[in-house]
Amino acid sequence: MTTEHIDRRYLRMPHSERGMIVGLFGGSFNPPHEGHALVAEIAIRRLGLDQLWWMVTPGNPLKSRNHLAPLSERLARSEAIATDPHIKVTAFEQAFGVSYTANTLARVKARNPHVHFIWIMGADSLENFHRWQKWQNIARTFPIAVIDRPGSTLSYLSSKMAKTFAFARIDEDDARVLWKKPAPAWTFIHGPRSTLSSTAIRNGDQHKAAE
């Protein structure tokens, strides 16, 4: 069995400077598409990010890996789509051997104590967020920005995360100062939405809305 070669630059945590505001945007990106890029661009603009780390994960513990493309391929495709200079495509989780977001964020926080991080997620991920390992720890580690996705604008309100942390929600008009809020703190950001989904693309229907 051959070991997949990953360029070493992807296996290092991106460099950041003291005081920077950095968005963490993680996913399997299988494959990455313009919908992901739109979420990233909205986050960069609305949150006033200095950087956005596009974190291509080895795999999602909640999803089957049967149709998971090689990490090197997902990284290359992400680089092709994520053209904004603020975006740093990375796979440092592979080097750390971690699969769960809670563990990743704990390491990021420990290594970068003077950087202001915001966890970024599409609204379509909010429905199952409570199934993530130590999901409440995630919410208490960094502020969270939830970016609108098709079919998720209203349903997010009924999610367990939204109900549990309703007290910590801030108005999206204050999104640019979200980084100043101690976690738990989160906001829902409306904006342009792409109907593309990785599942639909794998199934050959690029116009199917995300489910």
Side-chain angles (χ1 to χ4, degrees):
M1 180 178 179
T2 58
T3 302
E4 181 184 7
H5 175 72
I6 306 295
D7 192 310
R8 290 179 61 185
R9 66 189 174 95
Y10 292 120
L11 301 178
R12 295 189 293 267
M13 194 176 291
H15 174 73
S16 58
E17 300 288 345
R18 174 188 289 264
M20 275 189 169
I21 306 169
V22 177
L24 302 174
F25 184 35
S28 53
F29 299 108
N30 186 42
H33 53 70
E34 292 301 330
H36 293 133
L38 181 59
V39 167
E41 291 298 331
I42 291 172
I44 290 168
R45 184 176 70 253
R46 297 289 299 277
L47 298 170
L49 301 180
D50 297 304
Q51 291 182 1
L52 180 140
W53 295 1
W54 182 297
M55 297 158 45
V56 185
T57 65
N60 186 331
L62 296 179
K63 296 181 181 179
S64 168
R65 298 196 181 196
N66 292 340
H67 302 289
L68 188 64
L71 180 57
S72 57
E73 179 181 321
R74 290 181 283 130
L75 284 165
R77 289 189 175 192
S78 293
E79 285 279 20
I81 288 175
T83 56
D84 189 300
H86 294 88
I87 299 175
K88 311 297 179 184
V89 175
T90 180
F92 67 84
E93 286 175 293
Q94 173 81 352
F96 289 164
V98 295
S99 299
Y100 295 102
T101 299
N103 297 337
T104 296
L105 299 192
R107 289 201 178 204
V108 168
K109 187 173 185 177
R111 289 195 172 205
N112 304 274
H114 303 296
V115 175
H116 307 289
F117 289 102
I118 300 173
W119 176 251
I120 296 162
M121 59 193 296
D124 49 326
S125 297
L126 205 57
E127 181 180 359
N128 295 316
F129 185 62
H130 64 280
R131 295 178 57 204
W132 295 21
Q133 187 185 67
K134 299 179 180 178
W135 67 278
Q136 294 197 35
N137 286 13
I138 296 172
R140 292 188 173 99
T141 302
F142 295 133
I144 297 175
V146 181
I147 311 298
D148 201 2
R149 288 282 288 149
S152 304
T153 304
L154 298 177
S155 61
Y156 84 91
L157 289 170
S158 61
S159 71
K160 189 169 183 178
M161 185 274 190
K163 290 180 177 180
T164 302
F165 291 100
F167 70 92
R169 183 182 176 190
I170 71 168
D171 191 278
E172 70 174 295
D173 289 341
D174 296 322
R176 206 168 182 86
V177 295
L178 179 63
W179 64 273
K180 295 182 179 181
K181 308 294 183 181
W186 67 283
T187 192
F188 188 95
I189 297 177
H190 297 81
R193 296 174 296 173
S194 168
T195 59
L196 291 176
S197 79
S198 296
T199 301
I201 291 173
R202 291 196 303 273
N203 292 338
D205 181 2
Q206 297 192 19
H207 301 286
K208 181 181 177 182
E211 297 179 346

